[in-house]
Amino acid sequence: MKQVKSVWLMLLFALVITVLTVGCSSDDTAGDDGSETNEDAVEGDWDGQTIKVQLIGDFDLEDSTDPITGETTQGLQVIKDEFESQHPGATVEFIIMPWEGYTEKTQAMITSGEADVYQMPGIADFAAQGVVEPLEPYIEEDPDFDLDRFIDNQVDGWKALGPDSDELGIYGLPFLGDARFIAYDKQLFDEWGVEYLSEYPTMDEVTEKAKQMTGENPVTGEKNYGIWFRGDWSSAFTLINLAEGQNGSWGSGFAWDEIEFNFDSPEMVSGLEWLLEMQEYAPDGLVSDQGSEKWLTPDNDIAIMLNQGPGDTIMSAYAQGLGDRIAIAQEFKNDEGVGGMFAGSPITMAKDSENKDLAWEWMKFATSETVQQYIFEEANGMPAIQAAETWDSYAKVENLMDPTMEAMSTPWTPRYPWASSQPRFILTSEVEAALTGERSAQEAVEKAQVESEEWLENRN
């Protein structure tokens, strides 16, 4: 009996020693300095490399739930995980900023070298500073990348001039698509017995139909307004498009020392006078972005909306069950079929990035179907690639996406080079002054012309 007990004690002792030995092995998750190490880390070509990606807008890192629709959308984490799995060892960090003041904030970030890749609507100004990397060498040397993936005009629209270049070059890849168009409520048109807007309406057509649908709705008895437009933030672009619709333009040139403004042209005066006339058929509050609170609701009271964008229209209309009630017509085009602001965002690579190869990999990934489809389906953004037309999610909103895709392929390109600079805000301020009766249309555009030229002279 004693022998049996001794054997069991020896076996128990051996088991304890084994457990202690394993517990103290070199595979322990605690490092020599006590810090944790990740024994599952995957080594690869990108081991230890990190890129910081700046994004603008309503991106979320984590999943979120819409308080109105109750639908859950995936956060950027899913994109981060996918990229890092495709590039073992690499790490992506996102820096998200709001649209308010994005130009100044981007300037501060890129000056201090805070990110490797930037979403950069103001690319014309930054490329001229020499702070973003020219991309032609990466494109030419990469057999896996083809510019044909993008919607027509998207690449050309974001071309810019470098500090020493004489010709426009590629400094950014289309990342977020965008467009401007005229949206309208077919139900109100039906109730008033007015024919829907044509695909390419003229100013006279919009005037006539806005007048007809202002007043007491013959079916509901409710007050209706024929038209609405923002009289503040985006009004400069609305006015420029009115000039384009009359075969005018904002001006000419792209390099700052070659730019000439046409802000006081006859087409601009006529366009602003037209906005003043349309103000009579719109609700009060245009200059303070008010009066359109019922738009995209079942109780909508506005027939025609100028200068609308897809991000605020398409998914919102479907979320409210109005996907078949809302329709889209093109902004005003010139005799060559061109007009409307080129909009959206390119992505750029910082000139001082220390991980440019990985940054290029991210730029390709960001313009792939994986990320572009995520932007469309999860982030309420517009894709910039042609493959979007093959997605099931596109087919569900095709009646609004088809004219949006056309608008993205027929704007005035390249993007107005002053769109993110002071002349935009000078012109916007003068449109406001005219709409509030502070100045006549003629006085407002003349003042915008003088102040913009002075700003340009000081800048150069």
Side-chain angles (χ1 to χ4, degrees):
M1 188 69 184
K2 276 187 178 181
Q3 288 181 336
V4 173
K5 187 175 182 180
S6 297
V7 170
W8 277 109
L9 285 173
M10 290 178 65
L11 290 173
L12 180 61
F13 178 75
L15 179 62
V16 170
I17 292 299
T18 301
V19 169
L20 289 175
T21 301
V22 171
C24 296
S25 74
S26 59
D27 290 335
D28 195 352
T29 55
D32 293 338
D33 60 357
S35 63
E36 289 190 351
T37 59
N38 182 6
E39 62 181 348
D40 295 328
V42 179
E43 294 185 354
D45 294 339
W46 312 101
D47 192 35
Q49 293 192 40
T50 297
I51 55 166
K52 295 183 178 180
V53 177
Q54 172 256 37
L55 296 174
I56 309 172
D58 299 326
F59 291 102
D60 289 316
L61 291 174
E62 306 297 334
D63 294 355
S64 61
T65 301
D66 188 300
I68 298 176
T69 65
E71 294 186 2
T72 299
T73 55
Q74 293 182 307
L76 283 169
Q77 185 65 43
V78 67
I79 296 301
K80 170 184 168 70
D81 292 344
E82 178 63 26
F83 180 76
E84 291 175 353
S85 71
Q86 292 183 17
H87 300 78
T91 300
V92 178
E93 296 179 3
F94 292 109
I95 303 171
I96 301 173
M97 69 167 60
W99 281 106
E100 290 76 15
Y102 71 85
T103 302
E104 296 83 357
K105 293 173 182 174
T106 301
Q107 183 72 66
M109 284 186 64
I110 204 164
T111 300
S112 57
E114 291 188 37
D116 302 274
V117 177
Y118 290 84
Q119 182 184 332
M120 189 175 283
I123 188 172
D125 210 4
F126 290 103
Q129 296 177 39
V131 295
V132 294
E133 185 78 6
L135 298 180
E136 275 98 341
Y138 292 88
I139 296 169
E140 292 169 359
E141 295 174 8
D142 194 328
D144 298 329
F145 188 76
D146 190 346
L147 290 174
D148 288 341
R149 72 172 61 179
F150 297 106
I151 297 168
D152 291 348
N153 282 323
Q154 290 294 304
V155 173
D156 286 342
W158 292 119
K159 285 183 176 178
L161 287 173
D164 302 316
S165 54
D166 298 323
E167 296 182 355
L168 294 173
I170 301 176
Y171 289 83
L173 298 181
F175 174 59
L176 292 186
D178 200 358
R180 293 295 177 269
F181 45 72
I182 302 171
Y184 61 98
D185 186 334
K186 292 192 294 183
Q187 180 172 306
L188 293 191
F189 275 69
D190 291 338
E191 291 170 349
W192 283 90
V194 175
E195 186 177 356
Y196 296 154
L197 287 179
S198 60
E199 189 176 358
Y200 300 94
T202 63
M203 291 165 62
D204 287 341
E205 179 186 344
V206 171
T207 301
E208 178 186 354
K209 292 176 179 176
K211 286 181 179 179
Q212 291 178 24
M213 292 181 283
T214 300
E216 183 179 306
N217 186 305
V219 175
T220 67
E222 299 292 329
K223 169 73 174 180
N224 282 174
Y225 301 93
I227 197 167
W228 189 88
F229 56 93
R230 282 194 71 160
D232 57 346
W233 184 72
S234 61
S235 58
F237 302 136
T238 304
L239 177 56
I240 293 292
N241 178 239
L242 290 165
E244 292 168 349
Q246 302 170 79
N247 291 313
S249 71
W250 66 267
S252 61
F254 198 90
W256 287 112
D257 59 355
E258 296 176 352
I259 281 181
E260 294 183 359
F261 294 109
N262 285 341
F263 288 175
D264 61 350
S265 67
E267 294 84 5
M268 290 286 284
V269 175
S270 174
L272 186 49
E273 289 176 339
W274 187 83
L275 284 180
L276 297 179
E277 181 186 357
M278 291 301 98
Q279 193 175 17
E280 299 176 19
Y281 309 107
D284 295 335
L286 294 176
V287 177
S288 54
D289 188 24
Q290 295 181 342
S292 64
E293 289 78 10
K294 294 182 179 179
W295 174 248
L296 295 184
T297 74
D299 299 325
N300 174 49
D301 56 0
I302 296 170
I304 301 170
M305 301 284 284
L306 299 181
N307 194 246
Q308 296 298 289
D312 296 328
T313 304
I314 298 175
M315 295 306 179
S316 300
Y318 274 89
Q320 293 294 323
L322 305 174
D324 293 327
R325 175 171 162 178
I326 302 301
I328 290 174
Q330 300 299 317
E331 281 204 308
F332 303 114
K333 306 291 184 183
N334 63 17
D335 289 347
E336 297 177 352
V338 174
M341 183 181 70
F342 182 89
S345 295
I347 50 174
T348 62
M349 184 191 307
K351 188 78 173 180
D352 61 359
S353 170
E354 295 181 355
N355 294 307
K356 290 181 180 175
D357 287 341
L358 185 59
W360 173 244
E361 291 296 315
W362 168 262
M363 296 178 78
K364 289 193 296 181
F365 178 70
T367 56
S368 68
E369 279 200 64
T370 298
V371 176
Q372 292 288 298
Q373 198 161 357
Y374 167 85
I375 288 171
F376 184 55
E377 297 173 0
E378 305 290 339
N380 195 29
M382 285 297 107
I385 61 173
Q386 298 189 39
E389 293 177 305
T390 66
W391 300 339
D392 291 341
S393 51
Y394 180 101
K396 293 178 181 177
V397 295
E398 188 173 17
N399 64 315
L400 296 179
M401 277 302 296
D402 278 350
T404 300
M405 294 287 273
E406 179 176 347
M408 282 196 281
S409 64
T410 56
W412 191 283
T413 60
R415 178 175 165 87
Y416 309 129
W418 46 270
S420 298
S421 300
Q422 191 60 18
R424 168 191 170 181
F425 304 108
I426 292 172
L427 184 57
T428 298
S429 177
E430 289 309 309
V431 173
E432 291 179 11
L435 290 171
T436 56
E438 188 177 343
R439 273 183 280 285
S440 69
Q442 183 76 45
E443 292 170 340
V445 296
E446 287 180 352
K447 193 168 186 294
Q449 178 77 13
V450 170
E451 292 187 5
S452 295
E453 289 178 342
E454 290 176 350
W455 177 86
L456 189 61
E457 184 176 352
N458 291 330
R459 188 191 186 286
N460 293 333

